[in-house]
Amino acid sequence: MRQLTKLRIRNGLGGSSPHRAHGFHHNCALRAPTKPRVPLNGVDYPRLASTSSSCHPKTALFFPGQGVQRIGMATAWLEAFPGTCKPFLEEMDSLLSYPLSEIIADGPNSTLTATENAQPAIMATSIMIQRVVEQEFGFKTGERVDVCLGHSLGEFAALVSSRYLRYEDALRMVRRRAEVMARCSRDASKAEGGEYGMIALVCEPDRLSSLIEAIHDFLGHGASEGGRDDSTFHTPAIEQVLIANINSKNQIVLSGNIERIKALLVQLRQFGGHDPRAVRLATDSPFHSPIMAPAAKVMRDILENTDVNFDDASFPCVSNVSARPFGSVGQLRELLSRQCVETVRWWDSIRWLDQEEGVRRWVGIGPGKVGRNLVGKEVGMRGRDDVRGGGVWGISDPKEVEAVLRALEETEGVG
């Protein structure tokens, strides 16, 4: 705490002016969602604004999804920055009408990892960390960031960060979504029996496309993304297995009945010519599968009655479903609800931003390092020495803030 205070004062951020800039030049115009659009699958999606006249390389902010929760993940932040974090956590408890902050701080682990607690805990902690970076270090997110995205659950933090959704609305929404998702898993087990969850498959990068094609062939549906084929919603839950995530050039995640997934792996190895490494994820819920259809319906109903600040958002937010920025209020409501039952196209999102939009700086905010590693696998963990003006950084601990802001400052006028 003492060292962090010295660092803030050294950079002109201490004393009575906690909102002063972290050494940045502020001659860049605020970039709201841009108007030029490019059609994709018959839908128009906005492209990012050109930064040719701005003072920094294109910069993306990204947020983690479920699975990064851990007991005490907010403690170091609360101890280092009580003035920002204590009222934030108190507000979180008040909005949810139960002491989630105590569960985050003390557990037990089984309670924190329960979907209905883990999801709001991760989302709120991510936004709290962003608040610290803004309020304690003077980082002006709206001026320093060009686009944001979040992995699955992290999409809600991204929408709050970019000001499409109000924090309080998103927090209540995430809690309700998580409650319904947990119920969906229990109902599937009760009705059909068996064990449900998710299994990650890791293969050679040049084998990913053929692996996905083989999975679709064996499952008997041609849709490349979960939920696109309506017939899957009428299939018994025990038979519903879909690709929940395409995370990187060599990793996907299957979601559904565990025994059915294991049977699929046997088919892939015996008859499909594939032998991916399989890793069971620490969840008993089959996220992003048709089993979560009730959650999609609840989300659709909630979003219809939730204000979406589209016109005055700070910067575009990339959808997990389309792998492109949301293009309208109606599209945001539709895609955010469909996200419950469809594939998270994380790899497509990162590739589009990296290869087509020229994003060169990537900053992860939130607990854990999973998102940072997934981004780094695609863009090469680039640093200033390798790519002019580029880098992948993450802020999950107070000790990381200074180094990340310093790296952004050093690359601010480069590119």
Side-chain angles (χ1 to χ4, degrees):
M1 173 64 182
R2 182 176 302 167
Q3 180 65 22
L4 285 169
T5 302
K6 288 181 179 178
L7 289 169
R8 291 203 304 277
I9 293 174
R10 186 190 68 202
N11 285 285
L13 297 171
S16 60
S17 302
H19 298 278
R20 287 178 59 189
H22 185 83
F24 291 119
H25 304 290
H26 297 295
N27 56 354
C28 298
L30 187 84
R31 280 170 293 279
T34 55
K35 301 304 181 184
R37 302 178 186 276
V38 288
L40 177 72
N41 298 329
V43 181
D44 284 346
Y45 297 97
R47 292 192 65 120
L48 303 188
S50 171
T51 57
S52 58
S53 61
S54 72
C55 61
H56 67 258
K58 283 185 181 177
T59 303
L61 204 61
F62 60 93
F63 296 88
Q66 190 165 347
V68 300
Q69 69 278 348
R70 62 177 177 81
I71 295 173
M73 62 185 175
T75 302
W77 294 97
L78 178 62
E79 291 175 351
F81 308 105
T84 297
C85 295
K86 188 173 185 293
F88 183 93
L89 293 171
E90 290 173 348
E91 179 191 24
M92 176 189 71
D93 290 346
S94 176
L95 289 169
L96 295 175
S97 300
Y98 79 105
L100 179 59
S101 63
E102 295 180 9
I103 297 173
I104 295 173
D106 303 318
N109 191 62
S110 58
T111 302
L112 178 60
T113 57
T115 297
E116 54 267 40
N117 294 322
Q119 290 195 7
I122 294 165
M123 196 278 277
T125 301
S126 298
I127 296 301
M128 183 185 74
I129 293 172
Q130 181 177 329
R131 294 273 179 90
V132 167
V133 176
E134 291 172 341
Q135 296 178 15
E136 301 282 349
F137 292 87
F139 183 75
K140 296 184 181 298
T141 306
E143 296 179 15
R144 303 274 65 82
V145 173
D146 298 280
V147 63
C148 68
L149 66 166
H151 190 280
S152 186
L153 162 71
E155 189 162 73
F156 290 88
L159 287 166
V160 172
S161 174
S162 51
R163 300 178 63 184
Y164 285 91
L165 295 178
R166 296 190 307 167
Y167 163 69
E168 52 267 35
D169 291 336
L171 182 65
R172 294 191 186 101
M173 196 183 305
V174 165
R175 168 67 178 185
R176 179 60 181 145
R177 172 183 182 264
E179 289 173 337
V180 179
M181 284 183 161
R183 191 182 70 220
C184 289
S185 303
R186 292 192 295 267
D187 289 349
S189 295
K190 184 177 181 180
E192 306 288 345
E195 195 177 1
Y196 291 82
M198 305 175 81
I199 293 180
L201 303 184
V202 181
C203 66
E204 294 299 319
D206 61 351
R207 301 282 286 162
L208 183 67
S209 295
S210 59
L211 174 62
I212 291 174
E213 184 178 351
I215 289 171
H216 291 149
D217 288 343
F218 282 123
L219 292 177
H221 60 82
S224 62
E225 299 157 23
R228 287 292 177 87
D229 181 359
D230 289 341
S231 65
T232 54
F233 289 105
H234 305 294
T235 303
I238 199 169
E239 298 179 22
Q240 294 177 10
V241 173
L242 287 173
I243 297 175
N245 306 65
I246 303 177
N247 283 334
S248 69
K249 56 191 172 187
N250 71 331
Q251 184 196 113
I252 63 174
V253 177
L254 298 177
S255 180
N257 178 270
I258 296 299
E259 289 305 313
R260 177 87 165 124
I261 294 176
K262 289 180 178 178
L264 171 62
L265 289 174
V266 171
Q267 290 181 303
L268 288 171
R269 287 164 177 152
Q270 291 185 352
F271 307 110
H274 291 276
D275 188 21
R277 181 166 62 92
V279 180
R280 175 80 182 269
L281 302 186
T283 177
D284 58 0
S285 294
F287 301 120
H288 306 292
S289 78
I291 295 171
M292 296 294 160
K297 183 182 184 305
V298 167
M299 282 297 300
R300 190 171 289 110
D301 293 341
I302 293 175
L303 283 164
E304 282 299 320
N305 295 292
T306 300
D307 290 333
V308 177
N309 177 35
F310 196 86
D311 292 335
D312 296 322
S314 298
F315 38 79
C317 180
V318 176
S319 164
N320 284 179
V321 174
S322 69
R324 297 293 187 274
F326 294 105
S328 67
V329 173
Q331 188 186 89
L332 188 153
R333 287 172 171 152
E334 174 66 17
L335 296 182
L336 191 57
S337 60
R338 280 169 47 190
Q339 189 232 58
C340 295
V341 295
E342 297 211 19
T343 303
V344 172
R345 296 174 58 190
W346 185 254
W347 185 41
D348 289 338
S349 301
I350 300 302
R351 281 195 300 170
W352 179 72
L353 290 171
D354 178 49
Q355 298 175 15
E356 296 187 35
E357 292 298 329
V359 169
R360 287 295 170 263
R361 304 193 302 184
W362 307 78
V363 181
I365 289 186
K369 293 176 170 43
V370 175
R372 186 186 325 181
N373 294 337
L374 288 176
V375 172
K377 285 177 70 174
E378 179 58 30
V379 303
M381 293 304 287
R382 288 187 291 232
R384 285 189 301 120
D385 295 335
D386 298 320
V387 175
R388 186 172 171 81
V392 181
W393 303 279
I395 300 175
S396 58
D397 184 274
K399 297 176 183 178
E400 296 171 320
V401 179
E402 279 286 328
V404 173
L405 294 185
R406 188 178 299 113
L408 291 177
E409 181 177 344
E410 291 171 354
T411 58
E412 189 68 5
V414 181

